[in-house]
Amino acid sequence: MLPALLTTLLWSFSVVCATRSTHSLGGPTANVMRLCLGTALLAFWAHGFGKGFGGAGLGFFMLCGLVGFGFGDVALYEALPRIGS
């Protein structure tokens, strides 16, 4: 039950922070900044603790990132200023 509670709290915190950043910066700018930060952190983790670009699932990972972050989060960051968190 603790992981479910922690997941709920972290997702809620994420949406509240995203709403505040979209009001301050605008939807597209906030999304690009978040994507740049996320890419840098994932690259650090992959090259520091993993195989970097040498994993077997790289293509699937890139496709999932394109669909999830590319399309899904664009819609989310455009909707947040309109509907709020």
Side-chain angles (χ1 to χ4, degrees), residues 49-82:
F49 300 104
K51 295 181 181 181
F53 290 117
L58 178 66
F60 187 68
F61 183 68
M62 298 289 273
L63 178 65
C64 290
L66 177 69
V67 171
F69 290 127
F71 298 126
D73 286 349
V74 166
L76 172 71
Y77 275 76
E78 288 297 321
L80 280 174
R82 294 180 178 106

Side-chain angles (χ1 to χ4, degrees), residues 28-67:
T29 305
N31 192 23
V32 168
M33 296 296 286
R34 186 194 58 82
L35 286 174
C36 289
L37 179 64
T39 301
L41 291 174
L42 280 173
F44 171 74
W45 185 265
H47 291 287
F49 300 104
K51 295 181 181 181
F53 290 117
L58 178 66
F60 187 68
F61 183 68
M62 298 289 273
L63 178 65
C64 290
L66 177 69
V67 171

